[in-house]
């Protein structure tokens, strides 16, 4: 089955999405997500100018060889732009292979390992009381795992605090907006938040929290220790992970489980973290970590060390990524949890899909392929709009720090 054509579709039904569509001489088509939030057009160019010309005429069934060709053949390896482009090709080819086999994608991976995929939702509040209300609302909706984030007294804008109720969307502005930060204020506030949330929600709900790369290792150790009484499912991105060894210091101070990896692109970014058992959950997902082919490799490696998966699932990952991740989650033996931020109704209309949510679990559906399509006519009505993620500055002197 030969690849005859491939093209990139960019649309912005409320936020930007980049989608690759691959066509074959047998009439089968597949799509893959290539969205890199705030840097979307770089992946569009990488695909259009450099990858697509190499795809035409290749056998669509040779997924592994095409992956190696794009990874090793470029000479310049790794990085979010390269790996998102490879992921889009890989996802579209798995979609095509599953369609050719007339099977839902998870069947090609080895079949079902669980009846449903436990997901965590986002409870965001402007203060503790508001966050507690939101956590209870998510519990009411059936969620078994809930991430709690709240505004911090004395800070103007904090990661995770939504503008609307269901849809947190940090990317905005024609230029990056600026947030302010104080680790001292945050470290005093976070234990109070989880004390209130745990008391309100009871012992059975899994609670999660995202630190969003903001603390030093020793501060992260302090936070993890102070959250131990509230037995979190995980503390995410407690410190930036370029220096993988930094997590050793956190581990020495706390038994709060650690999750990291949404900004990782390859197994090399998490190899030391995994083999030294410095983390408990690996958050890489389809679009930013080289597609299903590479994610599977990371998950298999992680399984040797009892590290479980917890795929990134923010709204900047398109429904194509979410649908494919749910097939992966349905199969992967060392599954932990899947993040699930709902897309808007308009996004769901542009990307009709077979996955669904019920009682805290997601189901990838039995549609052949990965089960997500794109309505190109509707997508064309929402052209690209430049948007940026915010930047973050220390409140007391304006020093630029991690957002
Ligand atoms: O969902 C999460 O855990 C995030 O940290 C979301 C990120 O801020 C978002 O994907 C950035 O594009
Ligand atoms: Mg995160």
């Amino acid at each position: 089955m030969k690849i005859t054509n491939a093209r990139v579709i960019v649309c912005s039904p409320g936020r930007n999405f980049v989608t690759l569509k691959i066509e074959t001489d047998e009439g089968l088509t597949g799509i893959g997500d290539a969205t890199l939030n705030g840097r979307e057009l770089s992946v569009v160019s990488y695909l259009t100018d450099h990858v697509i010309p190499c795809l035409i005429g290749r056998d669509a069934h040779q997924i592994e060889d095409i992956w190696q060709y794009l990874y090793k053949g470029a000479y310049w390896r790794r990085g979010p732009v390269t790996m998102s482009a490879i992921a889009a090709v890989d996802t579209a080819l798995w979609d095509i292979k599953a369609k050719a086999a007339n099977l839902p994608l998870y069947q090609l991976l080895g079949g079902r390992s669980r009846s449903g995929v436990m997901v965590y939702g986002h409870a965001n509040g402007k203060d503790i009381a508001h966050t507690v209300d939101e956590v209870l609302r998510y519990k009411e909706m059936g969620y078994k795992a809930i991430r709690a984030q709240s505004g911090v007294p004395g800070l103007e804008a904090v990661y995770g605090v939504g503008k609307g109720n269901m849809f947190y969307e940090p990317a905005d502005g024609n230029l990056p907006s600026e947030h302010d930060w104080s680790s001292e204020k945050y470290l005093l506030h976070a234990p109070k938040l989880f004390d209130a949330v745990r008391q309100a929600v009871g012992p059975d709900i899994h609670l999660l929290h995202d630190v969003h790369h903001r603390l030093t290792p020793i501060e992260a150790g302090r936070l993890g220790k102070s959250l131990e009484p509230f037995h979190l499912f995980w503390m995410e991105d407690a410190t930036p992970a370029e220096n993988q060894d930094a997590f050793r210091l956190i581990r020495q101070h706390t038994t709060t489980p650690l999750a990291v990896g949404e900004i990782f692109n390859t197994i090399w970014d998490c190899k030391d973290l995994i083999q030294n058992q410095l983390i408990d959950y690996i958050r890489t997902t389809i679009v930013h970590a080289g597609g299903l082919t590479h994610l599977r490799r990371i998950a298999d490696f992680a399984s040797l060390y009892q590290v479980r998966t917890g795929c990134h699932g923010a709204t900047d990952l398109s429904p194509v990524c979410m649908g494919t991740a749910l097939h992966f989650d349905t199969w992967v033996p060392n599954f932990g949890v899947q993040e699930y931020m709902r897309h808007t109704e308009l996004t769901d209309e542009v990307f009709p899909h077979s996955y669904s949510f019920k009682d805290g679990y997601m189901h990838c559906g039995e549609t052949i392929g990965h089960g997500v399509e794109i309505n190109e006519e509707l997508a064309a009505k929402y052209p690209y709009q430049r948007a940026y993620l915010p930047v973050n500055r220390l409140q007391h002197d304006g020093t630029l720090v991690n957002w």
Side-chain angles (χ1 to χ4, degrees):
M1 180 168 39
K2 293 242 179 305
I3 298 173
T4 49
N5 192 23
R7 62 209 159 75
V8 181
I9 304 153
V10 184
C11 62
S12 192
R15 68 154 0 278
N16 292 318
F17 294 113
V18 178
T19 310
L20 176 71
K21 185 164 195 170
I22 296 183
E23 298 166 5
T24 64
D25 59 358
E26 293 186 15
L28 291 176
T29 63
I31 58 172
D33 182 22
T35 309
L36 184 60
N37 203 4
R39 293 292 184 270
E40 295 88 357
L41 297 185
S42 56
V43 192
V44 176
S45 164
Y46 195 101
L47 282 166
T48 312
D49 298 326
H50 306 294
V51 170
I52 290 176
C54 303
L55 292 178
I56 310 303
R58 284 181 190 279
D59 179 357
H61 276 305
Q62 290 191 326
I63 299 178
E64 186 68 50
D65 186 65
I66 291 175
W67 196 97
Q68 299 294 338
Y69 186 94
L70 295 176
Y71 184 79
K72 294 177 180 159
Y75 186 65
W76 310 107
R77 300 178 187 199
R78 306 166 65 187
V81 177
T82 300
M83 298 311 287
S84 302
I86 294 178
V89 174
D90 188 76
T91 307
L93 292 178
W94 276 104
D95 192 22
I96 289 171
K97 195 185 269 298
K99 285 174 180 167
N102 208 25
L103 288 169
L105 180 50
Y106 74 86
Q107 294 289 13
L108 267 58
L109 300 176
R112 182 177 287 282
S113 298
R114 56 194 50 80
S115 54
V117 170
M118 184 172 78
V119 293
Y120 69 91
H122 284 206
N124 309 317
K126 61 180 179 346
D127 53 27
I128 291 179
H130 186 200
T131 307
V132 167
D133 286 350
E134 285 296 291
V135 168
L136 295 176
R137 197 160 70 86
Y138 272 83
K139 185 180 176 187
E140 193 63 30
M141 285 189 279
Y143 284 83
K144 311 292 180 255
I146 304 168
R147 188 185 94 161
Q149 307 288 139
S150 108
V152 175
L155 291 181
E156 196 111 319
V158 174
Y159 166 77
V161 182
K163 292 169 197 149
N165 255 353
M166 292 303 282
F167 307 106
Y168 172 63
E169 182 50 77
D172 67 359
N174 205 30
L175 286 173
S177 57
E178 302 215 350
H179 288 185
D180 56 345
W181 182 249
S182 155
S183 293
E184 293 78 10
K185 288 186 172 131
Y186 169 74
L187 284 167
L188 286 175
H189 176 74
K192 293 181 196 155
L193 169 68
F194 279 92
D195 191 6
V197 167
R198 182 52 86 197
Q199 278 192 44
V201 83
D204 295 335
I205 295 291
H206 297 301
L207 291 175
L208 300 86
H209 183 63
D210 191 348
V211 185
H212 222 256
H213 324 269
R214 289 172 183 209
L215 299 178
T216 64
I218 196 67
E219 288 169 345
R222 171 179 153 197
L223 178 63
K225 205 167 169 177
S226 67
L227 295 179
E228 278 170 22
F230 318 117
H231 47 101
L232 264 59
F233 186 91
W234 79 33
M235 174 168 84
E236 175 187 339
D237 286 341
T239 198
E242 285 96 329
N243 168 19
Q244 297 186 33
D245 227 18
F247 277 71
R248 192 181 301 282
L249 205 137
I250 307 177
R251 266 286 202 246
Q252 281 162 357
H253 292 281
T254 182
T255 55
T256 294
L258 303 175
V260 72
E262 67 182 36
I263 65 168
F264 294 172
N265 316 122
T266 70
I267 197 164
W268 302 103
D269 300 325
C270 48
K271 176 181 135 312
D272 298 352
L273 285 169
I274 291 171
Q275 75 184 3
N276 294 320
Q277 296 185 257
L278 301 179
I279 56 169
D280 302 281
Y281 296 93
I282 180 68
R283 286 193 30 77
T284 42
T285 191
I286 306 286
V287 56
H288 300 136
L292 208 39
T293 297
H294 196 64
L295 192 60
R296 216 161 49 146
R297 205 146 276 153
I298 295 174
D300 271 346
F301 179 62
S303 76
L304 303 181
Y305 301 93
Q306 289 175 285
V307 172
R308 293 189 283 160
T309 65
C311 286
H312 188 200
T315 41
D316 47 293
L317 315 176
S318 93
V320 182
C321 177
M322 176 55 83
T324 313
L326 289 169
H327 284 268
F328 168 82
D329 296 332
T330 298
W331 156 75
V332 69
N334 48 324
F335 173 74
V337 73
Q338 165 70 52
E339 182 179 20
Y340 175 49
M341 277 172 86
R342 290 150 191 267
H343 288 110
T344 61
E345 274 174 29
L346 182 58
T347 299
D348 285 340
E349 248 184 272
V350 170
F351 295 95
H353 52 74
S354 63
Y355 60 77
S356 57
F357 171 89
K358 190 164 184 260
D359 289 337
Y361 292 82
M362 301 269 295
H363 304 274
C364 59
E366 294 296 323
T367 305
I368 60 161
H370 57 43
V372 188
E373 295 298 337
I374 182 165
N375 178 338
E376 290 192 56
E377 231 170 89
L378 189 58
K381 293 192 179 147
Y382 303 98
Y384 169 77
Q385 299 198 327
R386 190 168 72 194
Y388 287 97
L389 287 169
V391 297
N392 207 18
R393 291 187 184 277
L394 287 187
Q395 190 177 48
H396 76 101
D397 70 357
T399 304
L400 198 99
V401 290
N402 298 303
W403 172 72

